[in-house]
Amino acid sequence: EMCKPGTPSPVRLPNVSPEVFKHMLYYCYGGEISQEDLEENSKELVEAADRFGMTNLKLKAEACLVRNATFTPDNILDSLLYADSKNCALLLEKAMDYVVENRNEVIKKVSFEDLPGSMLRDFLAALGSKGHSRKGESDFEYMRVCELRQRLHAKGLCVDGSKKAMVAL
């Protein structure tokens, strides 16, 4: 019914603003989104790119989100949950680094009861990686997300997803 000739009807995409959709289309057709537009729309672009399977755009927007992220004890729980829900491994890693570096302040102010149990593994790896010297090139558990993504890319494998998924590859 939607595609009948001569019947112009708009296609509605819930939770995607026209501006973000315009950036997505522009990117799909080979355009580069300006740094300013990436910074202004990074979270919305991550969400839309994740929803529509646009991995490269998602990774670009995630990198921008990570560069501009400012964590506090008041927002760290939301940041961790968001990064986990969107499989933003780089953002999750940066948020975990914040927790490890500011653990005394965070523990006093944040209740971690709402975190999924699977995140405990990520916390332990983040704590362990701070004082851990890798013994070999296959010690993927303690490897930074950027290095994991580079290795996967070099092998022609998918670089999107959680750190656990990337390590499994």
Side-chain angles (χ1 to χ4, degrees), residues 45-63 66 82-92 145-154 156-169:
L45 282 166
V46 164
E47 292 171 12
D50 185 55
R51 179 177 169 190
F52 295 106
M54 299 175 67
T55 303
N56 290 339
L57 179 57
K58 178 186 172 188
L59 295 175
K60 270 188 168 204
E62 179 190 6
V66 167
Y82 176 79
D84 186 57
S85 73
K86 298 297 174 191
N87 286 319
C88 292
L90 194 60
L91 182 61
L92 184 62
V145 170
C146 284
E147 187 177 351
L148 269 174
R149 284 181 172 167
Q150 288 171 349
R151 288 176 179 230
L152 290 171
H153 180 72
L157 298 171
C158 180
V159 297
D160 188 23
S162 67
K163 184 172 181 179
K164 183 179 177 183
M166 288 189 281
V167 167
L169 292 173

Side-chain angles (χ1 to χ4, degrees), residues 65 80 104 142:
L65 196 58
L80 288 166
N104 293 331
Y142 297 105

Side-chain angles (χ1 to χ4, degrees), residues 3 15 24 83 97 116 165:
C3 297
N15 304 320
M24 288 174 47
D97 288 347

